[in-house]
Amino acid sequence: MADVYRWRLAPDGLATRRQLRALGLRPGGQDVVAELHRPRRRRAPLVAYLYRVDRAKPVRPMTPGRAAALAAAMRARRTCPNCRTDAGYCIPLSLGMCVPCHDAPAA
């Protein structure tokens, strides 16, 4: 069982995934060392998993292949399936198409 700390009471040397990423690190396969619980009224507490900073590894560098795959995925999210144009923004999942296509009267 991992140690449990209350909100803002975790010892130094432990960090969440986001905090590690801000430092240019990643967990690197290590197990969760502790949990951080943030209490909420009438609901279950929010839980964050903590990792040791000294065991964290550097973030892997972006390779040309990964950059191309990321660009292709983002291009697919911006392309309207209705008019097949690049909308310039990620198409909302709630609409399923770009805003002009959604707002156009049905033929």
Side-chain angles (χ1 to χ4, degrees):
M1 171 88 183
D3 294 333
V4 177
Y5 298 102
R6 288 185 54 85
W7 184 248
R8 298 183 188 259
L9 296 178
D12 292 335
L14 299 180
T16 63
R17 282 181 179 268
R18 284 189 179 192
Q19 290 168 336
L20 288 176
R21 187 64 180 206
L23 297 172
L25 302 171
R26 61 186 169 95
Q30 65 175 301
D31 291 331
V32 173
V33 176
E35 292 181 2
L36 186 67
H37 286 205
R38 180 178 179 202
R40 301 188 296 175
R41 291 188 179 147
R42 293 186 286 276
R43 291 190 286 179
L46 291 175
V47 177
Y49 299 110
L50 300 174
Y51 302 91
R52 289 183 49 174
V53 176
D54 59 344
R55 288 189 185 171
K57 296 181 180 178
V59 174
R60 293 185 186 115
M62 182 66 75
T63 63
R66 288 177 65 195
L70 181 61
M74 292 307 294
R75 188 171 42 254
R77 289 185 65 192
R78 290 191 315 264
T79 303
C80 176
N82 195 23
C83 63
R84 300 283 183 205
T85 59
D86 188 342
Y89 53 87
C90 289
I91 305 294
L93 294 176
S94 60
L95 300 181
M97 59 185 76
C98 65
V99 175
C101 288
H102 182 265
D103 291 345

